Amino acid sequence: MNNFKYLKADTPAAAIAAVADNAASNFVAGGTNLIDLWKYDLTHPDRLVDINGLSELKTITELPDGGLRLGALVSNAATAHHAIVRERYPLLSRAILAGATAQIRNSATNGGNLLQRTRCYYFYDAASPCNKRNPGSGCPAIEGHNRLHAILGYSQKCIAVFPSDMCVALAALEAVVQVAGPDGSREISFSDFHRLPGDHPERDNTLQPNELITSIDLPPTGFAPHHSYLKLRDRNSYAFALVSVATGFELENKTIKRARIALGGVAHQPWRVSAAEDLLVGKAPTAQSFGQAAGIILANAKGFGHNDFKIELARRAIIRNGLMALNPSSQRPGAQPSL
Ligand SMILES: Cc1cc2nc3c(=O)[nH]c(=O)nc-3n(C[C@H](O)[C@H](O)[C@H](O)COP(=O)(O)OP(=O)(O)OC[C@H]3O[C@@H](n4cnc5c(N)ncnc54)[C@H](O)[C@@H]3O)c2cc1C
């Protein structure tokens, strides 16, 4: 029997104060990841702080600079179907809708999505060693079943990948995460939010334990005219990405003026390489250009046996998704361009 204390916070300050003096405290939002982890015996909070009463975190509002603020407690479904998100940030909408199921997206929140944990089989098996769950115990995935695992940014301690779809689009959009803690508020650029495993795979991100995500801010540019999210997986629904790609670009005189490419399912964080995006500037959006960008993105990729196929899969996905971004309506099933 797990005994725990349940508290309901009615202000962000009360929520932060409720976790400040107890390292075994957890916020709970939609509960779709936290409660699973608890049931699998992978986490044991002794204080659960329910943040669902924080109405100020439940709105989507336009920002003075033309951007959009997504409240941390807005559900993934409400975000994906919001009129402004669909019109100006369809890349985000498509990425969210590629994830999980309608029921899960209705409960899952934006803040929780950023903090969901890896789906590594060994992490989810409480009887198995895992440096992420139990630092110093080892990483059986390196020599074991690693079909889902990283080809980039891994370390000798961990080859797990971060499984979110939403966050791949947020990386491409260069979102900013707003957080509040006992010492006030701060913002974290999306590229600094998720960590590589290095020597501390137990730490997924740069959020401090007693900090609350309040919102995720989108910049004014949403790449609506030219965007695409491609998720490749073992089943067409209810499966995490083997490889996913979020692509957005702006065109001027038929050449690329600005480009963003982020990959999911390949590393401990959404993966971007600015040299590849810079290479595309001034080039026509062709299979050859996207192939050159893929070459840069995957230059240091390495498989661990079962996941070797991901390198070629990612290369092809980058090219195909770049061409799909030319004509976003081509993303309907059965209407994809041939290479
Ligand atoms: C069967 C299944 C399939 C799934 N498939 C996919 C998929 O294909 N793609 C995908 O991207 N995701 C998928 N998911 C993951 C799902 O998107 C996440 O579980 C969900 O986004 C987590 O949000 P939540 O509100 O339920 O978080 P919770 O479970 O409530 O919390 C998760 C963590 O975040 C912390 N937290 C929550 N909100 C805040 C906040 N505002 N500030 C600070 N800390 C906070 C909690 O303390 C906890 O540690 C799947 C989940 C399930 C169960």
Side-chain angles (χ1 to χ4, degrees):
M1 167 108 121
N2 276 324
N3 287 317
F4 67 95
K5 200 167 177 180
Y6 173 84
L7 303 173
K8 225 168 162 23
D10 51 12
T11 64
I16 293 161
V19 299
D21 64 338
N22 183 347
S25 304
N26 264 112
F27 297 126
V28 62
T32 61
N33 193 220
L34 181 70
I35 305 301
D36 267 2
L37 294 169
W38 207 344
K39 286 191 290 193
Y40 279 97
D41 200 21
L42 308 178
T43 190
H44 311 96
D46 64 23
R47 185 182 298 170
L48 207 54
V49 180
D50 186 340
I51 55 175
N52 287 287
L54 307 183
S55 53
E56 52 273 73
L57 274 55
K58 289 187 167 175
T59 56
I60 293 184
T61 46
E62 293 189 76
L63 293 167
D65 70 353
L68 195 66
R69 173 160 291 175
L70 310 173
L73 285 171
V74 179
S75 73
N76 287 177
T79 303
H81 294 299
H82 190 276
I84 298 177
V85 177
R86 285 170 61 105
E87 185 195 331
R88 288 174 36 205
Y89 305 96
L91 176 61
L92 178 61
S93 187
R94 286 181 192 274
I96 294 173
L97 294 175
T101 62
Q103 293 90 337
I104 291 167
R105 294 192 298 266
N106 281 336
S107 299
T109 64
N110 293 335
N113 195 303
L114 270 59
L115 299 175
Q116 64 177 291
R117 305 219 66 193
T118 183
R119 295 283 160 168
C120 170
Y121 329 110
Y122 299 97
F123 173 79
Y124 259 82
D125 175 7
S128 163
C130 170
N131 284 328
K132 184 176 271 304
R133 187 165 27 75
N134 184 11
S137 61
C139 176
I142 292 174
E143 300 286 332
H145 292 286
N146 46 44
R147 176 174 167 75
L148 289 181
H149 290 74
I151 53 170
L152 290 160
Y154 48 80
S155 75
Q156 289 310 307
K157 300 229 165 130
C158 180
I159 62 168
V161 300
F162 179 60
S164 168
D165 290 293
M166 178 180 186
C167 291
V168 183
L170 290 174
L173 290 167
E174 299 188 322
V176 173
V177 186
Q178 301 289 344
V179 309
D183 302 325
S185 303
R186 67 182 180 116
E187 54 180 43
I188 308 172
S189 67
F190 212 76
S191 55
D192 293 333
F193 189 82
H194 295 101
R195 296 180 67 251
L196 291 181
D199 286 338
H200 290 284
E202 72 279 10
R203 287 166 44 204
D204 292 346
N205 52 63
T206 55
L207 194 71
Q208 297 303 311
N210 49 12
E211 283 182 320
L212 177 74
I213 299 176
T214 53
S215 68
I216 299 141
D217 291 355
L218 303 177
T221 310
F223 300 108
H226 299 294
H227 72 275
S228 180
Y229 185 72
L230 178 62
K231 178 177 183 179
L232 301 171
R233 48 188 154 170
D234 282 326
R235 294 183 306 271
N236 219 10
S237 77
Y238 214 48
F240 289 89
L242 293 166
V243 169
S244 68
V245 191
T247 305
F249 51 79
E250 291 170 22
L251 287 182
E252 194 172 70
N253 300 326
K254 298 189 179 170
T255 60
I256 295 174
K257 187 176 153 204
R258 192 162 164 253
R260 296 286 176 266
I261 301 175
L263 266 61
V266 298
H268 201 259
Q269 63 184 38
W271 195 261
R272 271 183 66 198
V273 177
S274 55
E277 296 169 348
D278 294 346
L279 170 132
L280 287 170
V281 175
K283 289 199 158 48
T286 60
Q288 191 189 10
S289 309
F290 293 119
Q292 287 171 351
I296 295 177
I297 293 169
L298 298 167
N300 297 318
K302 171 182 162 322
F304 289 85
H306 298 286
N307 68 346
D308 292 350
F309 71 96
K310 279 192 179 187
I311 301 173
E312 180 60 13
L313 188 67
R315 189 186 73 77
R316 294 183 188 206
I318 292 165
I319 297 171
R320 178 169 142 196
N321 202 45
L323 297 179
M324 284 165 66
L326 262 176
N327 177 11
S329 63
S330 70
Q331 291 167 61
R332 290 190 316 277
Q336 288 155 0
S338 55
L339 288 179

